[in-house]
Amino acid sequence: NPLFLKVAGPGVPSQVPAFPRIRSPSLSRSLSLSVVQPPTDGVSSLSFSPKGNYLVATSWDNQVRCWEVNTSGGSVPKASISHDQPVLCSAWKDDGTTVFSAGCDKQAKMWPLMAGGQATTVAMHDAPIKDIAWIPEMNPTPVHTQQLPDRCYAITVRHPLMVVGTADRNLVVFNLQNPQAEFKRITSPLKYQTRCVSAFPDKQGFLVGSIEGRVGVHHLDDGQQSKNFTFKCHREGNEIYSVNSLNFHPIHHTFATAGSDGAFNFWDKDSKQRLKAMARCNQPIPCSTFNSDGSIFAYAVCYDWSKGAENYNPATAKTYILLHMPQEAEVKGKPRTGTGRR
């Protein structure tokens, strides 16, 4: 069987420091529609099937749920399974038949969703499983275990490239054609804790987002280092918010950021500009994803515990999963004009 990859171990967010005031961006209202029967607690991951508009969400209510959605914003609950504790991550098999999920119960489950089968436990660990990925190109025998320098906060895989963001601002790069050895270890270009990473579609580099409202664009080739840069985002006045999610558009290869300010934005790294900024929701966005052709952008809106239990109010902390249908102008790259602020 091809490899599914798991990263086990704890990861605790840090507090976000204050920064000077910056100018607010121009905003557009997102015409998003809510998925019916959303989770009853915070959403930890969203994953679209690579073969159809089936959306899977994992959540802190111990559930893995699936909906069939469409570009008109409709959604139909299809099925769900339970874990013994909160579920932290999910990944689809490349043929769109099966979902893998894992979390705080220290086990990974395989769910033959499209066949209507029951979920089975395929792995057990000594600590919670933070993230999981399906890698169809690999056939390891036996399965390889790689020690990391510190706690894992984020992982991204586009074979043969894998990048793992750990504590202490380490970014560990692997060439999965030789997974037993680190290809490169990089100190994050961002000054604060890593929250998310996303490999370029061409596998020549990656994005990294942090708790400080900033994203780094990093190329792996030593000859391309002059193209590296960082930019600020998800900030409002003196408030600085975490960048929680980075998603490349599957067709145009622009990307989305989503943050604890409750906003998502679309960006073009090649022309170094923001394509669209959306008005903030009233709660954070902990995770987001595009469907396989980029016609649907799904994002969760719920409390993300970034301000601790003392700021959790069950009366107002409702959970939503929203579907936004991007217009081409929002996600298609374009040449940079003028010299204004990114």
Side-chain angles (χ1 to χ4, degrees), residues 309-320:
E310 62 272 18
N311 284 285
Y312 175 69
N313 181 354
T316 59
K318 305 302 181 183
T319 297
Y320 303 91

Side-chain angles (χ1 to χ4, degrees), residues 255-297:
F255 66 93
T257 62
S260 289
D261 58 343
F264 65 91
N265 303 310
F266 299 123
W267 309 83
D268 181 357
K269 69 177 176 60
D270 297 323
S271 62
K272 299 183 179 180
Q273 63 181 323
R274 183 175 55 212
L275 300 172
K276 198 72 171 180
M278 297 297 178
R280 291 166 58 175
C281 302
N282 60 2
Q283 294 186 97
I285 300 176
C287 52
S288 57
T289 188
F290 283 106
N291 69 338
S292 61
D293 66 5
S295 61
I296 304 174
F297 180 72

Side-chain angles (χ1 to χ4, degrees), residues 93 100-101 135 238:
K93 194 176 178 182
F100 296 94
S101 58
I135 309 174
N238 291 328

Side-chain angles (χ1 to χ4, degrees), residues 56 64 66 79-81 91-93 95-101 109-122:
V56 159
V64 185
C66 178
S80 65
I81 61 168
W92 283 84
K93 194 176 178 182
D95 62 6
T97 64
T98 303
V99 172
F100 296 94
S101 58
K109 291 192 175 186
M110 181 176 68
W111 180 22
L113 169 62
M114 303 310 290
Q118 298 295 311
T120 57
T121 298
V122 293

Side-chain angles (χ1 to χ4, degrees), residues 175-208:
N175 177 352
L176 292 177
Q177 293 169 336
N178 181 27
Q180 289 81 10
E182 292 182 13
F183 176 74
K184 185 180 289 188
R185 189 181 297 191
I186 302 162
T187 299
S188 172
L190 310 179
K191 295 179 180 178
Y192 295 91
Q193 178 183 297
T194 298
R195 178 58 59 88
C196 49
V197 288
S198 184
F200 293 175
D202 65 6
K203 310 168 191 176
Q204 299 304 302
F206 58 89
L207 306 173
V208 54

